[in-house]
Amino acid sequence: MDGVFLTGLSHYAFAIATLCYTLSFILYSVFLFSKRKALGTAATITTSVGFAIQTTAFFARWAASHALGIGRVPLTNLYESLLFFTWSIVLIYLVVEYRYKIRSLGAFVLGIVFLALGFNMLAGIQTEIVGLMPALKSNWLFYHVLLCFLGYAAFGISFAVSMLSLLMDSQDRGRLTSGFAGLGILAFIIFLGYLMAGQGEVMKKAYWLGLGILILAWILFLILKGSHHRSQVFLLWSFAMTVAGGLVAVMAVELTVWFSHPATGSFKSHLFTTTFFHPFLPIKLLSWAFVLALFWLVWSQGIRIKNRMLAYLPSPDMLDSISYQMISLGWPLLTMGIITGSVWANTAWGSYWSWDPKETWSLITWFLYAIYLHARYMRGWKGTQMAVLSVAGFLAVLFTYLGVNLVLSGLHSYGGID
Amino acid sequence: MGSIVWKFLRSLRLAIVLILVLALASIIGTLIEQNQPPDYYVQEYGQRAADFFALLGFFDLYHAWWYVLFLLLLAVNLIVCSLDRFPSTWKLLRAPLAPLDDECLKTVLVKQEIVFSGTHDEAEQRTRKLLAAHGYSTAEFKKEKETDFAGQKGGLSRLGVFVTHAGILLILCGALIGTLFGYTGVLPLAEQEYSGSIFLQREPLFPRIMSSLGMQKSSTVPDAENGLTMPLDFYVFCNQFEILYYQDQSGPSRMPSEYASQISILNQKGEKLAQKRITVNDPLTYRGITFYQSGYGRIPHAQGAIELAVRSKKEPSQSEHVVIEPGAAVYVPLIKRTIKVLSTSPYAARNTKSGDVVFYRVAHGEMINPAVELALYKGKTVQYKTIVMKTDQGTPFMPEDYTIEYVHTWGMHYTVLQVKKDPGIGVVYAGFILICIGPLLALFGSHKKIWIKIQNNDNGVSVIIAGTAHRNKTAFETECARLVNEFKGTITGG
């Protein structure tokens, strides 16, 4: 068939699949609060339909590349890898949903999918099918990317499960003062970010570095002592949900704008200038107020939501077990993904490990999940600690996947979006 | 004292702390650009911070003494903990199967009793069939009124963790061998040039230590420009280097699709020992030394010489190759014409409809689709002029009974080969295989044991089925339930 036609077909099919997943995300979210079984069923159906369409789109794109005389697997740039990531995560999710008969994870998993696809549409990244640079022309490419992304997807599900079990774990949210303290910290972080961003590149870097260290230290503290500090676990959950919710909100607004007149310029650069750093003061204030309000809402309503959901949520043991199974699926996949990449690097450059940032971050991720497995199997850790560790692991995955390309530089530069 | 050290070294806590430290240190290494020239760091961080970071080894962090020390400690931890745990696991695996006793019955995961309607022999028959069908290796114990079956499978999964750890250790060993005896060098070669030595950044560690101890003569020679040169015991010859470009509808695009060097290995006498066209993902290995296509460059001020193939239209097998420098002319006996190269262009494309040739600008002289303008002389008179190019979308103007094709422009580029010797690579690959298999064994497998006790009592025959698994317990429970059902099924089914 004609390459142009196939390319067009795959683009449309991806767009329809994106709409299906967006609908599923909404349905699963409403299902979480409403307990209507029909909504859950509908969500599963739209997800499955979206998945079937996306599968078609994937093969159409593959066929298109052959028809265009390029002939390569559609797994080679940020656009294609994000699509494949969402495809893998939906695949594994559907298997989990079928096997464990639970739908309450759907909102979290499809939330990740929605964010990834929204980012993909808005980031202004290249969607054309172009030839591969000579270094990427290898049979190892397919296995390397396939294994890594299936692994990432399994970790993604584990993350969603862990977010849910963190919520389940939060018996109380602490006193009102801790909510205000959280609000204060959040406001302070935003304000400091605003001040330091204006002071040049060095200050900006210092800000992110400091924030990173702070979050790392906090997570480490919660992993070690989390089970004794339930209110802090809940605070972590609230922060994470605020970030996720904020992103979803921004994505929703940006997508609406994008549909009315497709974005000009890079999403990366205008994400903050259309919100927190908008030149128009009321919008600036509104964005900040929105984040603070969102946090307050999540923090003050989280427990109530949990109590409403409690009756039909899976037991904490079950969540723990699913999370563990996903990681014990993802970790061997990631291992093989890293190894295939390593063998490939050796045939292309004569060095199987060169400490390139992407490699190093994948090793860090591998280390974190190795700790997870050992702590669980040898020391019998369960519950909160494991959930926090799984969340930390997925943060490392996200950084390996996106952060390295957006922030650092290296061999895997296919992910850049400027 | 010894036991305290042993306990400390085998502890999981140490492993976790080491992994965390390595992970955190690695983060620093990704934030600070590694192995840059000193000026870069001074400019980036200021003199004082740069000095401080250099002291901590942050600029070559993954080879800093303390980082390597932590890696070694981790290796020691892995070895000690494996040595500590392996004997008991091995004993467990080698232990002969024993009938179900009361002690065991208390700890099993699944236990079910069935009243069997058939005879004792029938029950035995079915048990044998069932256990064999489920892949259990079994043992039978006969007593007066009782037959005991014990079966197990998946014992290998208990070894998964050791396989994984062995894999990591092998990789580290291989890396060490590579550092001690291996080297990485570069070899720039112009077309038709050969070399009997390569440039090294640094000498392999082992000979460096030996020569600094005065026990061995260094195999390298310092070179003012390129660091060190090291002689090879053969010659490397670059026959040709070319860059291919992707084609789109209108012809070649600016995107390279392949870098390729024709490489030969020659001995002292100039005899060919090996040859290969190497590309980025397809190197040449000769006697443990591998040559990778790693880069290329343009030879300054080179004009190049154009190779053309002249072919008779009537008999395409009759052809003659000529090499002509720009501006020069060569007489071709086959067609009795003199070909003169009037001009050359690095990037041209022909409009298929009008036949016009369009010349494109290139930024750095990349030979994307080289074209040459030719004049054909019969004696001293010009017969016609034409343009031929590497990849032609249309057909060049060829009025006489022969065609002229563009073949190659010689002498424009040099190729850069990466030369690598890594005697540890086999060990590393063995480690790779183990580290891929290990987690699969450990995380997907499970050591399962099943006991079936057939007893004659007053009411007839009773069967007890019990089982246990060391991992994936829920899955095992389902499997056991199926097993029991099958047992019952064979009973009702006769």
Side-chain angles (χ1 to χ4, degrees), chain A residues 117 152 189 194 249 336:
Chain A
L117 289 174
Y152 288 177
I189 288 171
Y194 177 69
M336 291 191 280

Side-chain angles (χ1 to χ4, degrees), chain B residues 200-466:
Chain B
L200 289 191
Q201 258 180 345
R202 72 181 98 165
E203 206 183 346
L205 194 57
F206 184 72
R208 200 157 75 217
I209 294 169
M210 293 306 270
S211 65
S212 69
L213 292 172
M215 294 168 81
Q216 195 183 329
K217 237 188 102 197
S218 170
S219 57
T220 56
V221 184
D223 181 290
E225 256 175 65
N226 296 296
L228 298 166
T229 57
M230 194 183 72
L232 302 168
D233 40 9
F234 49 80
Y235 291 92
V236 185
F237 178 71
C238 172
N239 190 337
Q240 192 188 4
F241 171 76
E242 63 175 335
I243 307 171
L244 302 181
Y245 289 84
Y246 281 104
Q247 308 283 316
D248 55 30
Q249 281 91 342
S250 57
S253 72
R254 287 168 191 267
M255 235 186 121
S257 70
E258 191 170 86
Y259 304 107
S261 305
Q262 286 275 6
I263 299 295
S264 312
I265 306 288
L266 308 173
N267 64 9
Q268 301 276 351
K269 294 175 199 154
E271 288 161 347
K272 208 175 269 177
L273 302 172
Q275 66 166 352
K276 186 170 181 182
R277 178 175 184 270
I278 64 169
T279 60
V280 177
N281 271 298
D282 194 10
L284 164 71
T285 303
Y286 182 73
R287 281 205 256 155
I289 302 171
T290 309
F291 297 87
Y292 298 88
Q293 177 65 54
S294 107
Y296 72 98
R298 184 75 184 263
I299 297 167
H301 314 300
Q303 288 293 307
I306 295 115
E307 181 179 342
L308 300 170
V310 184
R311 203 180 297 280
S312 156
K313 275 182 185 170
K314 282 179 206 143
E315 281 176 82
S317 60
Q318 261 199 339
S319 71
E320 193 168 329
H321 283 238
V322 286
V323 178
I324 314 171
E325 282 173 19
V330 167
Y331 176 71
V332 184
L334 180 75
I335 54 172
K336 300 189 180 70
R337 295 285 181 275
T338 300
I339 305 177
K340 183 176 185 186
V341 172
L342 298 175
S343 67
T344 62
S345 157
Y347 187 9
R350 194 184 302 272
N351 186 319
T352 39
K353 278 182 196 141
S354 64
D356 294 340
V357 177
V358 191
F359 299 95
Y360 297 102
R361 266 172 188 284
V362 286
H364 307 289
E366 303 100 314
M367 311 261 293
I368 294 169
N369 196 36
V372 275
E373 191 186 8
L374 306 171
L376 271 290
Y377 288 81
K378 182 183 180 184
K380 298 233 155 157
T381 49
V382 178
Q383 297 296 102
Y384 65 97
K385 287 180 184 173
T386 187
I387 296 172
V388 295
M389 58 188 80
K390 191 174 170 187
T391 307
D392 207 327
Q393 299 291 107
T395 34
F397 178 60
M398 294 286 159
E400 298 185 323
D401 60 349
Y402 56 86
T403 58
I404 303 171
E405 293 153 23
Y406 172 93
V407 179
H408 184 63
T409 305
W410 293 93
M412 297 293 277
H413 291 108
Y414 61 91
T415 183
V416 181
L417 306 177
Q418 169 129 310
V419 187
K420 176 103 183 174
K421 185 178 176 185
D422 189 352
I425 194 74
V427 180
V428 171
Y429 274 25
F432 281 177
I433 293 171
L434 292 191
I435 211 180
C436 286
I437 298 172
L440 293 180
L441 279 179
L443 296 169
F444 291 135
S446 159
H447 187 195
K448 298 166 185 169
K449 280 187 176 177
I450 285 237
W451 291 274
I452 299 183
K453 195 188 266 294
I454 303 166
Q455 286 171 306
N456 287 347
N457 54 23
D458 306 338
N459 309 329
V461 179
S462 93
V463 178
I464 298 173
I465 299 179

Side-chain angles (χ1 to χ4, degrees), chain B residues 15-275:
Chain B
I16 291 183
V17 168
L18 286 175
I19 292 177
L20 264 181
V21 169
L22 284 171
L24 290 175
S26 303
I27 295 179
I28 299 173
T30 62
L31 294 177
I32 297 174
E33 291 254 357
Q34 297 288 296
N35 295 310
Q36 298 293 317
D39 296 348
Y40 167 86
Y41 294 116
V42 173
Q43 199 184 349
E44 192 85 341
Y45 303 104
Q47 187 68 51
R48 278 175 64 189
D51 286 348
F52 181 61
F53 285 173
L55 191 70
L56 293 173
F58 279 5
F59 302 144
D60 190 12
L61 188 127
Y62 307 108
H63 304 103
W65 65 269
W66 56 271
Y67 192 88
V68 176
L69 183 77
F70 278 118
L71 264 181
L72 284 178
L73 257 178
L74 186 67
V76 170
N77 175 261
L78 274 177
I79 294 170
V80 172
C81 124
S82 299
L83 285 181
D84 195 65
R85 295 163 47 83
F86 186 73
S88 58
T89 307
W90 189 244
K91 222 169 109 187
L92 199 76
L93 284 178
R94 300 292 299 177
L97 287 166
L100 187 67
D101 55 23
D102 292 341
E103 196 59 34
C104 210
L105 199 60
K106 274 181 215 157
T107 57
V108 292
L109 198 65
V110 186
K111 189 175 70 180
Q112 195 153 359
E113 195 163 350
I114 307 166
V115 179
F116 186 62
S117 55
T119 65
H120 192 99
D121 281 353
E122 279 174 352
E124 277 184 16
Q125 286 288 332
R126 274 156 206 184
T127 306
R128 276 187 210 111
K129 242 189 192 167
L130 194 66
L131 289 178
H134 281 258
Y136 284 89
S137 61
T138 54
E140 262 181 67
F141 309 93
K142 285 208 178 204
K143 278 186 244 168
E144 202 177 323
K145 284 183 169 177
E146 178 182 311
T147 309
D148 271 287
F149 285 86
Q152 65 175 346
K153 68 174 178 186
L156 271 183
S157 79
R158 284 194 193 265
L159 295 180
V161 57
F162 300 108
V163 174
T164 313
H165 289 174
I168 297 171
L169 290 172
L170 278 181
I171 293 170
L172 291 176
C173 273
L176 186 68
I177 296 172
T179 327
L180 282 175
F181 304 106
Y183 55 78
T184 307
V186 288
L187 176 56
L189 277 180
E191 283 180 322
Q192 301 293 316
E193 190 189 7
Y194 63 87
S195 167
S197 61
I198 56 168
F199 298 116
L200 289 191
Q201 258 180 345
R202 72 181 98 165
E203 206 183 346
L205 194 57
F206 184 72
R208 200 157 75 217
I209 294 169
M210 293 306 270
S211 65
S212 69
L213 292 172
M215 294 168 81
Q216 195 183 329
K217 237 188 102 197
S218 170
S219 57
T220 56
V221 184
D223 181 290
E225 256 175 65
N226 296 296
L228 298 166
T229 57
M230 194 183 72
L232 302 168
D233 40 9
F234 49 80
Y235 291 92
V236 185
F237 178 71
C238 172
N239 190 337
Q240 192 188 4
F241 171 76
E242 63 175 335
I243 307 171
L244 302 181
Y245 289 84
Y246 281 104
Q247 308 283 316
D248 55 30
Q249 281 91 342
S250 57
S253 72
R254 287 168 191 267
M255 235 186 121
S257 70
E258 191 170 86
Y259 304 107
S261 305
Q262 286 275 6
I263 299 295
S264 312
I265 306 288
L266 308 173
N267 64 9
Q268 301 276 351
K269 294 175 199 154
E271 288 161 347
K272 208 175 269 177
L273 302 172
Q275 66 166 352

Side-chain angles (χ1 to χ4, degrees), chain A residues 131-132 134-135 137 209 324 335 339 342 344 346-350 352 355 360-361 367 377-379 408-409, chain B residues 12-13 19 30-31 33 62 67 175 246 255 257 280-281 283 292 418 420 422 425 428-429 432 435 470-471:
Chain A
L132 292 178
K137 284 168 79 178
L209 197 66
Y324 166 70
T335 309
I339 296 298
S342 206
W344 178 16
N346 192 46
T347 55
W349 295 290
Y352 50 86
W355 296 104
T360 310
W361 269 96
F367 275 157
Y377 192 60
M378 303 273 303
R379 298 193 78 89
L408 308 168
S409 58
Chain B
L12 181 68
R13 197 180 288 259
I19 292 177
T30 62
L31 294 177
E33 291 254 357
Y62 307 108
Y67 192 88
Y246 281 104
M255 235 186 121
S257 70
V280 177
N281 271 298
Y292 298 88
Q418 169 129 310
K420 176 103 183 174
D422 189 352
I425 194 74
V428 171
Y429 274 25
F432 281 177
I435 211 180
H470 95 298
R471 210 184 274 266

